[in-house]
Amino acid sequence: MSTKKENREEVPSEEREYHSPSSGIFFKLKKLLFKAKSDYQKIEVIENEYFGRVLLLDDLVQTSERDEFFYHEMLVHPALVAHPSSQNILVIGGGDGGALKEILRYPIKYACLVEIDPKVIDVSKEYFPWLSPSLEDERTELIIADGIEFIEKADKKFDIVFVDSSDPTGPSASLHERDFYEKLKKCLNLEGIVVSQAGSPFYHLESIKKKDAFLKKLFKNVCFYTSPVPTYPGGSWCFVFLSDEVQPLKIKRDPPRGLKYFNLDIHKAAFSLPNFLKDLGSN
Ligand code: AG3
């Protein structure tokens, strides 16, 4: 009889994601399309019968062809419908272009995407052509840089900043720290909003609580919300909406037509938290 450990090792590394020592999401491999180590991380694109193409960075699922709209729509639309007049947007991370694709549905003036790893952009252009045209839109400026170094030097202010990072390990680690958010605040206009992905409410609760504690000292409104993301650990994901002036539930404009997940009922419901998360945030 084989032990649990042996069972884990039977699964080739291309087919799995571990998010805790005892469980994970497993993809049956139809095809390994790309695998390489960039200067920052391991990058893999696999093909799965059900999910289509899946992008993994350091073994963590970032996006899949089948469920990308859950995450990207829920990262982007809550802030865009709540901001009264957003024109200048910054995305930190998100080199696959999925968040940008949603942002560009609005008549904004300018979107700047700052990605540390140029290889992620190249891979997305090649394997995720339904996400990456946003990277070449005329309103987009692409900057290859470390997110913190960029905001330290930034001479512009933004209406909304989206932090589309990976988990707090590897190249994304610093994007989860207090220091980063302090600097980010200085790049925001008066009615500015920051939205960050915050991890799994089930598996990453300790890191969410830590973040909540320092964010409350920096922003008047710290509002966590959740959404299903089928390919992420636990199936449910947490985001945080940060602002001083703008209230997330005061809708200032309608979402664009043709979205697959987000609507204004979902928006309202997403900010209702289950009891085990109720202590989070400032509202
Ligand atoms: N960024 C959030 C990825 C977090 C995934 N974590 C995990 N699977 N454990 C996704 C980038 C998509 N634009």
Side-chain angles (χ1 to χ4, degrees):
M1 208 176 86
S2 63
T3 64
K4 275 185 189 158
K5 188 164 179 288
E6 281 163 350
N7 281 336
R8 251 174 68 169
E9 283 165 359
E10 277 165 21
V11 183
S13 65
E14 291 81 9
E15 297 183 27
R16 70 186 178 205
E17 178 192 5
Y18 290 142
H19 54 83
S20 82
S22 57
S23 59
I25 180 165
F26 292 79
F27 291 98
K28 192 160 169 27
L29 201 63
K30 194 166 151 201
K31 204 166 175 193
L32 175 62
L33 296 169
F34 178 86
K35 181 173 182 166
K37 225 170 147 38
S38 74
D39 290 344
Y40 298 95
Q41 55 208 337
K42 179 164 90 181
I43 304 177
E44 289 163 290
V45 180
I46 64 164
E47 176 94 34
N48 171 269
E49 185 83 43
Y50 189 78
F51 287 101
R53 292 186 179 177
V54 185
L55 172 69
L56 298 105
L57 299 179
D58 283 342
D59 297 319
L60 303 174
V61 177
Q62 303 298 310
T63 195
S64 92
E65 187 170 350
R66 186 135 193 168
D67 79 341
E68 65 80 22
F69 65 94
F70 287 81
Y71 174 85
H72 290 128
E73 291 189 16
M74 288 305 287
L75 175 73
V76 163
H77 296 291
L80 274 146
V81 297
H83 195 282
S85 58
S86 50
Q87 290 298 339
N88 296 304
I89 315 274
L90 173 63
V91 182
I92 298 194
D96 53 72
L100 208 52
K101 162 177 76 76
E102 297 306 320
I103 293 165
L104 294 174
R105 291 179 190 269
Y106 294 82
I108 58 145
K109 261 199 206 125
Y110 169 71
C112 176
L113 184 132
V114 180
E115 166 64 54
I116 196 168
D117 191 345
K119 197 80 199 152
V120 173
I121 292 177
D122 296 345
V123 166
S124 178
K125 283 187 177 163
E126 183 159 357
Y127 295 99
F128 296 86
W130 50 91
L131 302 179
S132 52
S134 63
L135 299 165
E136 277 159 13
D137 190 280
E138 55 182 15
R139 292 168 289 169
T140 300
E141 183 179 15
L142 262 188
I143 296 180
I144 303 299
D146 175 275
I148 299 209
E149 283 172 20
F150 172 83
I151 55 169
E152 272 170 354
K153 293 184 200 138
D155 51 3
K156 297 188 188 76
K157 290 199 187 255
F158 295 92
D159 299 315
I160 310 180
V161 180
F162 293 102
V163 186
D164 188 11
S165 64
S166 191
D167 291 9
T169 53
S172 282
S174 55
L175 304 180
H176 294 264
E177 303 289 335
R178 177 181 174 137
D179 181 52
F180 170 68
Y181 284 90
E182 273 174 13
K183 289 175 177 149
L184 206 47
K185 218 187 149 172
K186 296 188 187 132
C187 298
L188 281 184
N189 286 324
L190 189 66
E191 291 183 308
I193 304 172
V194 176
V195 174
S196 300
Q197 74 87 2
S200 155
F202 185 65
Y203 289 107
H204 307 140
L205 189 55
E206 282 319 303
S207 103
I208 290 174
K209 283 185 176 163
K210 225 177 94 191
K211 209 174 263 174
D212 178 47
F214 72 69
L215 289 174
K216 278 176 183 156
K217 296 190 183 128
L218 300 175
F219 293 90
K220 205 158 113 202
N221 302 310
V222 177
C223 306
F224 285 85
Y225 64 96
T226 62
S227 169
V229 182
T231 52
Y232 285 180
S236 159
W237 213 246
C238 225
F239 300 84
V240 63
F241 178 114
L242 306 165
S243 65
D244 284 333
E245 298 290 328
V246 174
Q247 298 293 334
L249 293 178
K250 285 201 182 135
I251 301 301
K252 294 288 164 53
R253 66 171 150 193
D254 283 332
R257 285 165 184 264
L259 301 183
K260 289 206 264 183
Y261 191 81
F262 182 86
N263 59 45
L264 294 179
D265 292 330
I266 290 280
H267 177 86
K268 216 168 125 199
F271 286 89
S272 302
L273 296 176
N275 291 346
F276 78 102
L277 301 176
K278 277 242 189 286
D279 292 341
L280 293 176
S282 54
N283 307 58

